[in-house]
């Protein structure tokens, strides 16, 4: 189930089940979005990206969905494994070319129950 | 083998001190960044350098001064440390700033605690 922890929204999921992590972004002009995974004690790691001319993109066990109408992104993880336990961030690229920056959303903690 | 490395990993210091964090990337990238992650895990960009030139400077106190001796290194010097500077600082790099769609590779972070 989903709950709001002391700091981060937390999703607890049984190993083998699918996970869905949601993210709302703010800038309707953003045209590139990225999901990052941050394991405990490590830096964020790129998972998958999507451009604004796409609605869906699939990777290995992960799928990103983009709904530009409501400015919403989601990350689906299939057959969640213990190694998927981490904090997940969506990020949008802001700014004009040459001065681009990543604006990160709030993280979502995923806890995989073996 | 480490792509983006930072030193030190942990830094505990007293208020008022001056400290530096170093970052090196061996990916041949042109652009490097510094981010700050607070206790709520919120991650925000501080600076960005492209080929030793400062291109992004967010609203950061001028006690923070980045220095890029060459395009593989971006160091962060912090003067007169304050309690609120306690955070995890991440260095990152990307191939080029010109494209909006360059993957950023992050270092392992430096955990700064100011007492």
């Amino acid at each position: 189930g989903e709950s709001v922890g002391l700091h981060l929204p937390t999703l607890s999921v049984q190993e083998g089940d699918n996970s869905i992590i949601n993210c709302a972004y703010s800038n309707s002009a953003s045209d590139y979005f990225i999901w990052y995974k941050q394991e405990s004690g490590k830096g964020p790691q790129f998972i998958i990206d999507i451009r604004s001319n796409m609605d869906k993109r699939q990777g290995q066990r992960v799928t990103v969905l983009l709904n530009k109408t409501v400015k919403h992104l989601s990350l689906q993880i299939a057959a969640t494994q213990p190694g998927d336990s981490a904090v997940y961030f969506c990020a949008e690229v802001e700014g004009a070319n040459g001065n681009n920056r990543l604006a990160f959303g709030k993280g979502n903690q995923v806890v995989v129950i073996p | 083998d480490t792509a983006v490395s930072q030193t030190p990993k942990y830094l505990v210091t007293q208020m008022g001190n001056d400290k530096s964090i170093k970052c090196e990337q061996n990916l041949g990238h042109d652009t490097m960044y510094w981010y700050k992650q607070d206790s709520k895990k919120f991650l925000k960009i501080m600076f960005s350098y492209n080929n030793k030139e400062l291109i992004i400077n967010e609203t950061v106190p001028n006690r923070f001064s980045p220095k890029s001796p060459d395009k593989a290194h971006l160091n962060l010097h912090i003067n007169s440390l304050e309690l609120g500077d306690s955070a995890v600082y991440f260095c990152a790099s990307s191939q080029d700033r010109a494209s909006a769609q360059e993957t950023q590779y992050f270092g392992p972070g430096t955990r700064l605690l100011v007492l």
Side-chain angles (χ1 to χ4, degrees), chain A residues 7-8 31-32 34 36 38 41-44 46 49 51 87 89 93 97-102 104-106, chain B residues 9 35 37 39-43 45 55-56 58 90 97-104 106-108 111:
Chain A
H7 297 294
L8 294 174
D31 59 4
Y32 180 57
I34 310 166
Y36 278 88
Q38 186 178 17
K42 297 184 178 178
F46 173 91
D49 58 2
R51 299 179 189 182
V87 177
F89 295 92
V93 174
N97 275 341
N99 194 20
N100 305 308
R101 69 199 64 195
L102 279 180
F104 282 84
K106 273 193 216 178
Chain B
K9 185 168 182 179
Y35 287 85
Q37 186 171 48
S39 58
K40 293 190 166 81
K41 297 283 190 183
F42 185 63
L43 200 57
I45 190 165
I55 54 172
I56 293 175
E58 290 297 288
F90 286 101
R97 63 160 176 162
S99 165
Q101 296 165 15
E102 290 288 347
T103 300
Q104 291 187 23
F106 284 77
R111 285 133 194 90

Side-chain angles (χ1 to χ4, degrees), chain B residues 75-101:
Chain B
N75 304 323
L76 183 64
H77 188 75
I78 316 170
N79 287 329
S80 303
L81 277 154
E82 299 178 358
L83 295 177
D85 297 332
S86 296
V88 184
Y89 292 83
F90 286 101
C91 177
S93 74
S94 64
Q95 180 60 52
D96 186 7
R97 63 160 176 162
S99 165
Q101 296 165 15

Side-chain angles (χ1 to χ4, degrees), chain B residues 25 27-33 49-53 55 68 70-72 93-97:
Chain B
Q25 53 94 5
L27 297 165
H29 287 169
D30 287 339
T31 307
M32 295 184 73
Y33 311 81
Y49 268 73
N50 178 261
N51 243 330
K52 302 195 297 174
E53 178 193 344
I55 54 172
S68 182
D70 55 64
K71 73 174 193 176
S93 74
S94 64
Q95 180 60 52
D96 186 7
R97 63 160 176 162

Side-chain angles (χ1 to χ4, degrees), chain A:
Chain A
E2 204 173 284
S3 65
V4 177
L6 283 176
H7 297 294
L8 294 174
T10 301
L11 175 66
S12 299
V13 60
Q14 205 70 37
E15 182 179 356
D17 287 352
N18 297 335
S19 305
I20 300 177
I21 308 160
N22 296 303
C23 174
Y25 64 91
S26 53
N27 188 349
S28 55
S30 294
D31 59 4
Y32 180 57
F33 305 88
I34 310 166
W35 278 99
Y36 278 88
K37 171 186 179 184
Q38 186 178 17
E39 295 175 72
S40 180
K42 297 184 178 178
Q45 180 184 12
F46 173 91
I47 304 174
I48 192 168
D49 58 2
I50 188 167
R51 299 179 189 182
S52 59
N53 61 354
M54 303 169 73
D55 297 323
K56 179 179 177 178
R57 188 157 189 232
Q58 285 185 287
Q60 190 179 13
R61 285 201 305 117
V62 293
T63 301
V64 55
L65 299 177
L66 174 62
N67 184 332
K68 294 181 287 295
T69 306
V70 294
K71 293 189 284 188
H72 183 269
L73 270 174
S74 66
L75 178 71
Q76 300 176 1
I77 306 173
T80 312
Q81 301 169 358
D84 295 327
S85 292
V87 177
Y88 290 81
F89 295 92
C90 66
E92 58 185 308
V93 174
E94 297 183 327
N97 275 341
N99 194 20
N100 305 308
R101 69 199 64 195
L102 279 180
F104 282 84
K106 273 193 216 178
N108 283 267
Q109 176 108 44
V110 171
V111 176
V112 181
I113 303 164

